[in-house]
Amino acid sequence: DSANYFWVPFGITIMMIIIMLTDGYDLFLMGHVGNHLVVDWGVSRADLGPINMAGLLGMAVGSVGLGWLGDRIGRKRSYFTCLVFLFIGSVLCYYAAKNGTKETAEAALWQMTIWRFVTGLGMGGVTPLATTLVAEGASDRVGSVIVALVISSVPVGGSLAGWAIQHVEWQQMFLIGGLVPLGLFFLFGYVLPESPKYMA
């Protein structure tokens, strides 16, 4: 609690901000691709309801379940489990979206509902674990400010999704939402330290 903020806590903060940007991207993704999906598959906005509901349900389960898991196996391991869920769910959503047509829309929507739930598990777990890692890695003097900064990265990630949809096909939005967490899994897997309070 009396340690300086630079450099290890600062490094943790930067990593958490980057991952929370990814979380925000995935969180707001359906809002950006929904209109394109409706037009290409000839479905109604109401047909997207189960997909959105599955994502929210996954977030509810993930926030509780992965937060609990973090107390058992460590914040870092549980956190990277979230990235695995984000990768699997988003990439499989991409394949469902890519293979979907007006003729196969019903089956594709059902597949996306399942994989959006998986994505939601990761999205739900990221936020509480990120705040825990930052709060337990920084001193009491700056902890609350840093946590607020990290959380504010979520809507910024959503705006990145709005920018991306203007430059790529809507199906590829899911691929980006899956491959970026996979890259962060390998990039930060070796450098992100475990929470010192958990280790103690």
Side-chain angles (χ1 to χ4, degrees):
D1 288 334
S2 62
N4 291 327
Y5 179 62
F6 293 95
W7 286 97
V8 174
F10 176 74
I12 294 174
T13 301
I14 296 300
M15 286 185 277
M16 294 302 100
I17 288 175
I18 293 173
I19 295 178
M20 291 298 284
L21 287 172
T22 304
D23 185 55
Y25 174 96
D26 281 320
L27 178 61
F28 288 91
L29 189 153
M30 279 302 301
H32 293 293
V33 305
N35 289 334
H36 299 276
L37 191 155
V38 166
V39 172
D40 286 3
W41 290 2
V43 298
S44 67
R45 294 288 301 186
D47 292 325
L48 304 184
I51 299 177
N52 295 324
M53 184 62 67
L56 294 175
L57 180 61
M59 289 179 65
V61 174
S63 63
V64 176
L66 289 165
W68 173 86
L69 189 66
D71 293 331
R72 302 309 188 272
I73 67 173
R75 284 75 161 104
K76 179 178 178 178
R77 289 180 179 177
S78 185
Y79 199 59
F80 283 103
T81 301
C82 295
L83 294 180
V84 172
F85 280 130
L86 288 175
F87 164 68
I88 293 174
S90 291
V91 168
L92 292 178
C93 272
Y94 163 72
Y95 282 109
K98 182 181 178 182
N99 297 325
T101 62
K102 290 183 178 180
E103 291 73 22
T104 62
E106 184 177 352
L109 287 171
W110 174 243
Q111 293 173 20
M112 289 188 67
T113 299
I114 296 173
W115 301 128
R116 192 63 181 167
F117 174 81
V118 175
T119 306
L121 293 174
M123 291 190 295
V126 161
T127 300
L129 288 166
T131 55
T132 300
L133 277 165
V134 170
E136 294 183 349
S139 66
D140 291 339
R141 185 179 68 258
V142 298
S144 59
V145 176
I146 300 305
V147 167
L149 178 63
V150 169
I151 296 299
S152 67
S153 302
V154 173
V156 178
S159 67
L160 291 177
W163 174 84
I165 192 65
Q166 302 176 35
H167 298 85
V168 300
E169 296 179 357
W170 69 268
Q171 296 93 337
Q172 295 175 339
M173 294 283 288
F174 293 102
L175 188 61
I176 295 171
L179 294 182
V180 171
L182 179 64
L184 296 178
F185 177 89
F186 290 107
L187 181 63
F188 294 158
Y190 296 100
V191 296
L192 178 66
E194 180 57 271
S195 162
K197 291 186 178 180
Y198 175 81
M199 296 295 287

